[in-house]
Structures are given as C-alpha cells and as structure tokens.
C-alpha cells in the first residue's frame, strides 16, 4: 500500500468511519507495522497540537 493510503486508512479508523471493505483490505496486508507506526505518529501529533492550543489560549 502507498503511504498516502495508509495515512487515510489510519485517519478513517481513528475517527471511526472506516468502511468494511477498507478494513478487510487493511487486515489482509502482510505486516501491521506501517499502520501501527502511522497511528502512533498521528496520535502524538494530535496530542501535541492539543497541548499547543491550550498553552496558546492560556497565555
């Protein structure tokens, strides 16, 4: 899978709007590593963005 499709799939899964066909496609991949790494990076960026937003509002 291309990196863009992995990111799109992880984002859809994070928001809970992943289609059954895409979920089946993702689970048929040989390695879950790209999905895990992308998920960790996206969640980390989300948390850091929230922290930055709160710090900006409180200052």
């Amino acid at each position: 899978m291309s990196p863009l499709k992995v990111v799109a799939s992880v984002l859809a899964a994070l928001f809970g709007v992943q289609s059954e066909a895409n979920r089946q496609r993702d689970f048929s991949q040989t390695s879950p590593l790209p999905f895990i790494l992308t998920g960790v990076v996206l969640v980390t960026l989300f948390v850091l963005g929230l922290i930055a937003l709160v710090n900006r509002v409180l200052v």
Side-chain angles (χ1 to χ4, degrees):
M1 283 182 67
S2 71
L4 186 59
K5 284 188 178 184
V6 171
V7 170
S9 183
V10 170
L11 283 172
L14 286 173
F15 286 108
V17 294
Q18 181 80 307
S19 69
E20 181 64 23
N22 287 345
R23 190 184 69 77
Q24 290 295 329
R25 180 196 67 207
D26 296 344
F27 277 98
S28 69
Q29 299 300 313
T30 56
S31 173
L33 191 61
F35 297 99
I36 294 169
L37 293 176
T38 304
V40 168
V41 168
L42 289 176
V43 168
T44 302
L45 289 174
F46 178 72
V47 170
L48 290 175
L50 284 177
I51 291 170
L53 178 67
V54 168
N55 284 334
R56 179 149 176 110
V57 169
L58 292 178
V59 171

